[in-house]
């Protein structure tokens, strides 16, 4: 009869890790109050021994369901609706595992997060998916969740110095670098360009601008970045800012719109007579953009797959809480260049 290695037990993990069997059991099955550092040490020992819990049995035996809360902006709806849809589709997939959603909608990025987070801290939740509208302003909320052993996954943008579990997004710096490389091919030697963002206080927007600036400088064509305009994710504000830019720089050659707030700018471009229209690089892709691709107003967009971001963020919470799989600090999706020729594949 062939030799069979003894299957590791909770007692083995307790002996090697130095923690009690009760603490080990709580760490493996995500029950009770346990320090994140302690849980991580126990999970590392369990993984090294090849210990595997019966995840399905563990979840199905719970008396209470796992509650995954999500905080998403209502606007810009054509972007955040896709993130929300990804979250809800993941929740539907996890329904048989006793996982239920708790949605908290806020007005727009940077408006309403404090109130929503404060409310969630008073409720019984097991994990949070969150789109932070500032790189650091919400860190103390995220850290309070972490201290209560409630993991937070940031999505679309990040709060990098917080205790969030991971961030699921397209690498924003690479996104900006890609846009910068495209722009260097689109505009002439010494061309003058602008960048439009929601706010430089948003980590995603700040990193995109830095990546864009770095690459157009490296390409050495003398491209001049005239201004970075902050539109606060407001379509009317975006139009006002852009009209003022056209008055100041009628010879403008390029525009990089580093948020999904591009339709307002495209409307101005269609109505404005140009001797030589500026080259436009946008962010993401949704149905309302198609006419502007067809008219040649938009030359390229950097697709960030918001649906997949919402889905993956939710599944990473589940894998961490139920299976003990610790995600990387940042789970980056690939940025995709979409132009008129390959538009049909991404709608």
């Amino acid at each position: 009869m062939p030799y069979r290695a003894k299957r590791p037990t909770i007692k083995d993990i307790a002996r090697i890790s130095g923690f009690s069997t009760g603490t080990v059991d709580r760490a493996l099955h995500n029950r009770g109050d346990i320090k994140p550092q302690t849980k991580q040490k126990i999970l590392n020992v369990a993984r090294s021994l090849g210990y595997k819990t019966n995840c399905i049995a563990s979840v199905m035996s719970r008396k209470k369901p796992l509650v995954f809360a999500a905080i998403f902006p209502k606007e810009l709806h054509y972007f955040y609706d896709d993130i929300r849809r990804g979250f809800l589709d993941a929740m539907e997939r996890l329904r048989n595992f006793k996982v239920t959603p708790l949605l908290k909608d806020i007005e727009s990025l940077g408006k309403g997060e404090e109130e929503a987070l404060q409310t969630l801290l008073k409720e019984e939740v097991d994990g949070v998916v969150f789109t932070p509208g500032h790189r650091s302003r919400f860190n103390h909320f995220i850290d309070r969740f972490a201290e209560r052993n409630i993991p937070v996954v940031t999505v679309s943008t990040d709060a990098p110095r917080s205790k969030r579990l991971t961030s699921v997004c397209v690498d924003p710096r690479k996104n900006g670098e890609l846009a910068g490389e495209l722009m260097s091919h689109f505009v002439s030697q010494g061309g003058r360009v602008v960048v439009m963002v929601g706010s430089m206080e948003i980590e995603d927007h700040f990193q995109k601008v830095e990546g864009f600036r770095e690459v157009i400088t490296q390409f050495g064509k003398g491209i001049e970045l005239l201004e970075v305009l902050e539109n606060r994710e407001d379509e009317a504000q975006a139009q006002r800012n852009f009209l003022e830019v056209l008055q100041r720089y009628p010879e403008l050659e390029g525009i990089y719109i580093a948020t999904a707030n591009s339709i307002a700018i495209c409307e101005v471009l269609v109505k404005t007579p140009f001797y030589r229209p500026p080259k436009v690089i946008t962010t993401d892709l949704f149905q309302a953009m198609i006419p502007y691709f067809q008219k040649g107003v938009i030359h390229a967009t950097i697709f960030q797959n918001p649906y997949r971001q919402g889905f993956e963020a939710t599944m990473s919470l589940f894998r961490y809480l139920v299976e003990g799989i610790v995600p990387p600090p940042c789970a980056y999706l690939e940025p995709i260049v979409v132009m008129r020729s390959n538009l049909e594949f991404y709608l």
Side-chain angles (χ1 to χ4, degrees):
M1 179 180 289
Y3 171 76
R4 277 189 174 181
K6 178 187 174 185
R7 184 177 178 180
T9 66
I10 286 179
K11 288 183 178 180
D12 295 325
I13 299 169
R15 176 174 51 81
I16 295 171
S17 68
F19 296 103
S20 68
T21 55
T23 301
V24 171
D25 181 73
R26 289 198 301 276
L28 294 176
H29 298 97
N30 199 51
R31 288 196 289 261
D33 187 26
I34 184 171
K35 292 180 179 178
Q37 303 95 314
T38 300
K39 180 177 181 179
Q40 191 58 59
K41 287 179 182 177
I42 291 170
L43 292 177
N44 289 341
V45 171
R47 194 172 293 111
S48 68
L49 293 175
Y51 180 88
K52 293 183 179 179
T53 60
N54 186 334
C55 301
I56 296 177
S58 175
V59 174
M60 298 305 288
S61 65
R62 289 177 60 95
K63 294 181 180 179
K64 292 183 178 180
L66 289 171
V67 178
F68 287 2
I71 301 173
F72 301 134
K74 296 177 185 175
E75 297 293 341
L76 301 159
H77 68 87
Y78 31 76
F79 178 79
Y80 293 112
D81 280 357
D82 277 353
I83 290 184
R84 189 179 289 102
R85 189 164 55 87
F87 169 79
L88 290 174
D89 279 2
M91 295 302 303
E92 180 63 24
R93 179 173 292 193
L94 298 173
R95 184 174 58 175
N96 291 336
F97 293 90
K98 290 188 176 180
V99 185
T100 61
L102 176 60
L103 272 171
K104 296 284 185 182
D105 287 334
I106 60 174
E107 182 181 346
S108 61
L109 201 61
K111 295 181 181 178
E113 287 98 331
E114 288 97 340
E115 294 83 356
L117 289 164
Q118 192 67 58
T119 299
L120 283 183
L121 282 167
K122 298 174 184 177
E123 300 192 34
E124 291 189 17
V125 299
D126 298 281
V128 180
V129 179
F130 174 46
T131 304
H134 192 281
R135 69 169 66 91
S136 61
R137 200 168 78 218
F138 311 111
N139 286 6
H140 66 288
F141 285 108
I142 296 172
D143 294 351
R144 285 172 67 187
F145 281 109
E147 287 158 8
R148 298 181 186 187
N149 202 31
I150 301 171
V152 176
V153 175
T154 60
V155 63
S156 175
T157 185
D158 196 12
R161 289 174 292 280
S162 70
K163 294 179 181 178
R164 50 81 168 146
L165 175 66
T166 187
S167 180
V168 179
C169 61
V170 170
D171 185 336
R173 196 173 190 93
K174 287 295 179 188
N175 200 322
E177 290 174 1
L178 190 55
E181 186 172 350
L182 284 170
M183 191 66 78
S184 71
H185 293 301
F186 287 171
V187 304
S188 61
Q189 185 86 20
R192 309 179 85 188
V193 302
V194 298
V195 176
M196 310 197 82
V197 299
S199 168
M200 289 293 282
E201 295 177 338
I202 297 170
E203 181 70 9
D204 176 76
H205 300 181
F206 174 80
Q207 292 296 338
K208 284 175 180 173
V209 172
E210 291 301 295
F212 182 85
R213 192 196 309 272
E214 183 177 333
V215 167
I216 62 170
T217 301
Q218 286 176 353
F219 268 78
K221 291 180 64 176
I223 298 172
E224 183 182 0
L225 176 54
L226 298 168
E227 293 186 35
V228 177
L229 303 166
E230 297 178 272
N231 301 323
R232 304 296 168 185
E233 301 294 47
D234 181 284
E235 293 181 321
Q237 181 68 49
Q239 285 195 338
R240 287 193 297 272
N241 285 347
F242 186 52
L243 286 167
E244 291 173 4
V245 161
L246 290 179
Q247 289 178 350
R248 290 195 296 273
Y249 313 111
E251 74 287 7
L252 188 69
E253 287 196 33
I255 311 156
Y256 170 37
I257 307 171
T259 80
N261 189 9
S262 57
I263 296 300
I265 308 304
C266 292
E267 289 173 352
V268 173
L269 288 166
V270 167
K271 296 173 183 177
T272 304
F274 290 98
Y275 171 69
R276 184 179 297 167
K279 305 296 184 182
V280 179
I281 299 173
T282 59
T283 301
D284 278 298
L285 183 62
F286 39 91
Q287 202 71 28
M289 296 171 72
I290 295 175
Y292 299 105
F293 272 100
Q294 294 170 338
K295 293 173 184 176
V297 175
I298 298 175
H299 297 79
T301 195
I302 313 297
F303 182 50
Q304 301 180 116
N305 207 335
Y307 170 86
R308 186 176 162 206
Q309 289 187 46
F311 187 91
E312 293 294 341
T314 311
M315 295 305 294
S316 69
L317 263 186
F318 179 78
R319 288 190 289 266
Y320 175 74
L321 288 169
V322 175
E323 301 176 46
I325 298 174
V326 181
C330 294
Y332 287 138
L333 308 184
E334 68 283 3
I336 300 170
V337 178
V338 179
M339 303 175 77
R340 186 158 49 182
S341 57
N342 65 337
L343 183 64
E344 62 188 286
F345 297 106
Y346 297 99
L347 283 173

